[in-house]
Amino acid sequence: MTNVLVNERGAVLINKLLSIDGHENSISRVVTHAHSDHIRDLDKSLTTCKNLVGTPLTLDWLVELGYKIPRDYSIRLDYGSRISIGELKLELVKTLHIPGSSQVVVTDEDGLKIVYTSDFKKPGVHTPILEADILVLDAVYGNPNYVREFDEYIEDILTDLVNQLLSKGPVIIYGYHGKLQEVMKIFRDRGVIAPYVLPPKVYGMTKIAEKYDLRIRDYVLLGSSEGAEVVKSGWFLLFTHVSSSNYIREPRASEVLLSGWEFKKPYRYLGSNRWLVAFSDHADFKGLIHYIINSNPKTVIVNSVRSSYSEIFANEVRRITKKECIVMP
Ligand SMILES: [Zn+2]
């Protein structure tokens, strides 16, 4: 009998064999992507679990983020490949979230299928919706008011804004690791040719992402002689982590903050050449419900540790889909 639980740190646990995106004493630790709320307690897992499973890009990014992971300790699982862990079969399926992101599909010996979606956006378009018996998800936008009507066009809106700002001077983009690389790619795909200037960690992660077919092109390391040349030219985009302070003193520079917590308008002016853009890497409330309806599970488990308004969300799931919905822990 397969047992699915979520512990108080947000780990999804299956039969004491797998602990996904959180720690527990299990055989394998699975990491769906390199965001900090999904690699919680990874150091503990590295000392007690037998192996670490993730996509090759995610595992390489963890090393770049400073984790010491012996090569023979990790199981580098490509999208669509399957491995056995005890009586369970495990597969990672691509999601649109940050490069390397995956959802986890586990099948037990009776054929019971458990899917943990982890973080995703654009379900049914760029994130495959998987059928499941038990569907576990993080309701990041669990409140029915958390809806962005402009989500479909936000890539174009953001690119237009950045092109406009680039005509006046350099532009600094603030975002989380992973989201930065996604946005670099969005701009290139939409014809932005200005060079990118990247601080060391962002530069290292971008180099790794390029190894896995994410074509970014034309980027330089901030602080290198090449970087200094580009900064001097005054025409460039600088991508940096939200928590870092301004690297360059340039009065003409505009700053763009990428935020997942804006719902009314695609962007707004904050004053002093600063803009806030409602660019999220997560499906909104409607997207979460869309996934559940099309996955058609018997049971939905809402992971309250990485959710907002999980009880309200669970009530909405029961009301709209008539499915059993459990909040854990
Ligand atoms: Zn994430």
Side-chain angles (χ1 to χ4, degrees):
M1 182 70 187
T2 292
N3 188 17
V4 183
L5 286 171
V6 177
N7 76 10
E8 68 292 342
R9 300 279 289 161
V12 179
L13 313 169
I14 305 177
N15 284 7
K16 298 200 169 173
L17 288 168
L18 299 175
S19 100
I20 308 166
D21 287 0
H23 174 73
E24 190 76 53
N25 290 325
S26 58
I27 302 293
S28 298
R29 166 80 189 252
V30 183
V31 178
T32 61
H33 65 286
H35 273 156
S36 57
D37 54 336
H38 293 257
I39 55 180
R40 209 177 259 178
D41 305 326
L42 186 58
D43 283 322
K44 278 190 203 162
S45 298
L46 290 172
T47 53
T48 60
C49 297
K50 284 211 166 55
N51 51 52
L52 175 69
V53 185
T55 61
L57 172 50
T58 297
L59 294 172
D60 284 356
W61 269 5
L62 294 180
V63 172
E64 181 66 25
L65 288 170
Y67 289 95
K68 305 250 175 300
I69 306 168
R71 194 90 181 179
D72 58 356
Y73 180 83
S74 54
I75 298 178
R76 302 166 69 81
L77 197 60
D78 287 315
Y79 296 125
S81 300
R82 271 182 160 206
I83 50 163
S84 294
I85 305 213
E87 68 276 13
L88 303 175
K89 296 256 186 303
L90 167 74
E91 182 185 339
L92 302 178
V93 175
K94 192 171 183 152
T95 53
L96 182 67
H97 178 54
I98 64 169
S101 294
S102 59
Q103 42 190 336
V104 182
V105 185
V106 175
T107 315
D108 77 2
E109 49 203 350
D110 300 321
L112 183 87
K113 191 170 161 191
I114 302 136
V115 171
Y116 170 51
T117 65
S118 188
D119 293 339
F120 66 88
K121 67 176 171 183
K122 306 206 173 181
V125 184
H126 296 294
T127 295
I129 298 175
L130 307 174
E131 282 185 17
D133 297 303
I134 300 174
L135 180 69
V136 186
L137 50 77
D138 304 345
V140 177
Y141 297 122
N143 190 308
N145 294 324
Y146 289 159
V147 169
R148 286 176 300 263
E149 299 295 352
F150 45 81
D151 250 5
E152 248 182 86
Y153 326 102
I154 193 67
E155 290 89 351
D156 297 325
I157 295 169
L158 173 62
T159 309
D160 286 350
L161 173 68
V162 163
N163 273 328
Q164 230 180 69
L165 298 175
L166 263 176
S167 68
K168 298 179 203 147
V171 180
I172 306 169
I173 309 278
Y174 291 91
Y176 286 99
H177 290 311
K179 186 185 273 195
L180 291 174
Q181 284 76 17
E182 189 203 348
V183 169
M184 290 177 201
K185 176 84 167 73
I186 285 169
F187 291 159
R188 287 288 184 251
D189 288 348
R190 284 164 180 72
V192 175
I193 53 167
Y196 295 167
V197 178
L198 312 179
K201 185 130 288 175
V202 180
Y203 181 84
M205 292 183 75
T206 304
K207 264 204 126 47
I208 291 169
E210 279 219 309
K211 265 186 13 195
Y212 296 96
D213 288 341
L214 197 85
R215 305 254 303 143
I216 306 277
R217 300 187 304 272
D218 202 7
Y219 58 95
V220 292
L221 176 64
L222 180 74
S224 66
S225 55
E226 244 185 321
E229 279 299 308
V230 173
V231 169
K232 220 167 92 188
S233 80
W235 183 62
F236 62 91
L237 281 155
L238 188 141
F239 291 82
T240 188
H241 192 265
V242 273
S243 65
S244 57
S245 53
N246 193 347
Y247 283 99
I248 50 163
R249 298 270 164 260
E250 163 65 74
R252 289 174 310 144
S254 308
E255 299 187 335
V256 174
L257 281 72
L258 303 174
S259 167
W261 292 97
E262 285 287 309
F263 299 95
K264 287 204 171 67
K265 288 202 291 185
Y267 63 82
R268 62 189 165 94
Y269 184 55
L270 300 173
S272 318
N273 287 343
R274 298 174 84 232
W275 301 79
L276 190 104
V277 178
F279 185 89
S280 175
D281 277 323
H282 298 272
D284 63 9
F285 176 84
K286 272 196 205 162
L288 292 167
I289 296 289
H290 179 72
Y291 193 113
I292 295 170
I293 289 171
N294 290 284
S295 165
N296 196 25
K298 291 186 189 73
T299 304
V300 179
I301 296 175
V302 178
N303 181 345
S304 65
V305 178
R306 281 187 290 265
S307 295
S308 63
Y309 297 95
S310 38
E311 293 295 345
I312 290 176
F313 183 75
N315 279 332
E316 286 298 294
V317 170
R318 291 176 203 121
R319 185 181 68 80
I320 297 167
T321 71
K322 315 289 179 223
K323 307 262 178 220
E324 177 186 44
C325 184
I326 305 163
V327 177
M328 286 188 189

